[in-house]
Amino acid sequence: MRTIEWQDGTVVTVDQTKLPLETVTLKIRTVDAMAEAIKNLRVRGAPLLGACAAFGLALAACNSRASCVSEMLAELEDAAAILKSTRPTAVNLFWAADRVMDKARDFFGDVEGLKALVFGEAQKIADEDAEANRVMGENGAALINDCDVVLTHCNAGELATVEYGTALGVIRAAWKQGKKIRVIATETRPLLQGARLTAYELKRDGIPVTLITDNMVGYVMSKGLVDKVVVGADRIVQDGVANKIGTFTVAVLAHEHGVPFYVAAPKSTFDLTRKSTDIIIEQRKPEEVTHYGGKQVAAEVEVLNPAFDVTPLKYVSAIIHENGVYYPQDFAKFKSNSPV
Ligand code: MRU
């Protein structure tokens, strides 16, 4: 099932803030509405944000009343700037916006031709993500044994991508191969992507899942209850992997307990011209930490709310992608940008 689709000039998706209690269809018709949906996590997850940026530009093109290509190109530049100002950490958003804009800037033809080009590139980005996830799933499933218990953090599932998922794609593929695996999902404070979205997706697919709070990871690993960890990524740089806050803690605990720690991410998540110190970690509003279900639960104190952390590559056992699997011996090449 596709998480995002283009239907007659409208982007159709699901409002992820309402899941799992309500399935509310979200119809996005303008660039500003797309930016609002991204900022407020109605749509989220690195690969899906790439598709959202691309379809956001398609909305700008579709809604344009420009009478010439240079006027429309200026509108697209403004739209790209709006979309790129929404969330800073997942590189897919920037990668997709730049990919569409590079094509648009090189275009020769009329306004209708430019509209078709922008929409066509957006659709291609979405289709490629769906395909990459299926192939990645197969590549990663080879690392999962029958009866493994796999821990995952946040939601790197169908909802975080155009289709199928990255980390959950690996889990889905292993399950489809007949491996009787079980999943431990962390709730993922403060916005509960694990409890709300990962648990929902796995339950819907009939894959056994046990939910834990984030601070139980050390306990379950110390009891030998976890065989593998598979997570997604928001940006893979020369020396580390940015992913949902708490991933670093899971990785260190996995290292301590000898549990393989795998990252599953498509090439659109790789940003090998940068290092971890270059990554902008999104800081979100304090209310996400101090409030629960709309009610204040914390004392009124200063709050820190980084949405992501960076796991150094020394804690990563392998990175699964659509063209294969990188192991620690390959990571050295990341600095020269050669394998991607
Ligand atoms: O803040 P979110 O929900 O957008 O964060 C999402 C994550 O951290 C995911 O693990 C990551 O994007 C990988 S999704 C395939």
Side-chain angles (χ1 to χ4, degrees):
M1 209 179 71
R2 289 249 162 154
T3 303
I4 190 164
E5 272 180 321
W6 179 271
Q7 288 175 11
D8 301 328
T10 301
V11 176
V12 181
T13 184
V14 62
D15 185 342
Q16 297 193 27
T17 62
K18 302 279 196 290
L19 287 170
L21 301 181
E22 284 176 84
T23 304
V24 176
T25 300
L26 188 61
K27 294 189 173 175
I28 302 174
R29 296 188 172 86
T30 64
V31 174
D32 288 339
M34 179 63 85
E36 187 277 337
I38 295 172
K39 277 186 196 158
N40 291 313
L41 270 61
R42 298 187 199 287
V43 285
R44 34 68 50 205
L48 184 63
L49 291 179
C52 287
F55 279 131
L57 289 169
L59 286 172
C62 186
N63 295 336
S64 174
R65 304 226 182 287
S67 52
C68 64
V69 162
S70 61
E71 196 185 328
M72 189 165 154
L73 203 51
E75 289 177 10
L76 287 171
E77 297 285 3
D78 289 346
I82 290 170
L83 293 162
K84 285 169 142 189
S85 70
T86 51
R87 298 189 74 192
T89 308
V91 71
N92 312 60
L93 188 152
F94 300 87
W95 166 84
D98 289 343
R99 177 169 151 178
V100 174
M101 288 309 296
D102 285 348
K103 288 261 171 183
R105 288 182 200 116
D106 285 349
F107 175 76
F108 288 103
D110 62 8
V111 163
E112 288 311 312
L114 182 53
K115 283 187 186 185
L117 174 124
V118 170
F119 168 70
E121 198 60 21
Q123 190 61 53
K124 223 165 133 193
I125 285 171
D127 293 344
E128 284 173 11
D129 184 60
E131 176 60 17
N133 292 330
R134 295 221 174 250
V135 180
M136 201 182 337
E138 294 297 321
N139 293 342
L143 301 172
I144 307 295
N145 295 325
D146 193 22
C147 296
D148 269 353
V149 177
V150 182
L151 185 143
T152 190
H153 184 60
C154 193
N155 173 264
E158 181 175 282
L159 289 162
T161 61
V162 173
E163 204 173 80
Y164 206 61
T166 57
L168 290 198
V170 170
I171 288 165
R172 283 199 167 97
W175 179 256
K176 269 181 65 185
Q177 288 173 2
K179 293 176 182 167
K180 291 191 176 33
I181 55 172
R182 286 182 297 123
V183 179
I184 294 181
T186 54
E187 67 171 348
T188 319
R189 278 277 291 153
L191 295 180
L192 306 179
Q193 289 93 330
R196 295 188 301 105
L197 309 176
T198 297
Y200 161 82
E201 279 194 37
L202 292 171
K203 181 172 183 239
R204 189 196 56 193
D205 288 5
I207 302 175
V209 55
T210 302
L211 181 65
I212 60 169
T213 62
D214 301 337
N215 50 2
M216 294 174 190
V217 174
Y219 173 86
V220 291
M221 285 190 185
S222 72
K223 294 291 179 193
L225 300 177
V226 180
D227 297 301
K228 311 268 159 65
V229 174
V230 188
V231 295
D234 286 86
R235 192 182 287 247
I236 297 172
V237 292
Q238 290 177 358
D239 55 343
V241 174
N243 192 47
K244 178 53 56 192
I245 189 75
T247 303
F248 179 31
T249 317
V250 174
V252 174
L253 284 165
H255 184 78
E256 171 67 20
H257 292 96
V259 174
F261 179 90
Y262 299 130
V263 174
K267 291 292 179 62
S268 54
T269 308
F270 286 66
D271 184 18
L272 298 183
T273 59
R274 293 199 169 78
K275 300 198 239 333
S276 43
T277 46
D278 301 323
I279 299 175
I280 300 172
I281 299 291
E282 178 183 7
Q283 303 291 327
R284 295 190 59 87
K285 57 184 182 187
E287 288 74 20
E288 291 179 356
V289 176
T290 57
H291 287 57
Y292 195 81
K295 272 187 74 178
Q296 185 173 341
V297 290
E300 277 172 27
V301 293
E302 198 178 298
V303 168
L304 202 59
N305 188 15
F308 302 93
D309 58 27
V310 182
T311 300
L313 289 179
K314 71 172 179 176
Y315 295 113
V316 178
S317 310
I319 300 178
I320 302 151
H321 55 93
E322 62 268 49
N323 299 129
V325 180
Y326 292 137
Y327 291 98
Q329 62 268 27
D330 304 310
F331 297 168
K333 294 187 222 144
F334 284 9
K335 290 198 171 61
S336 57
N337 202 1
S338 51
V340 176

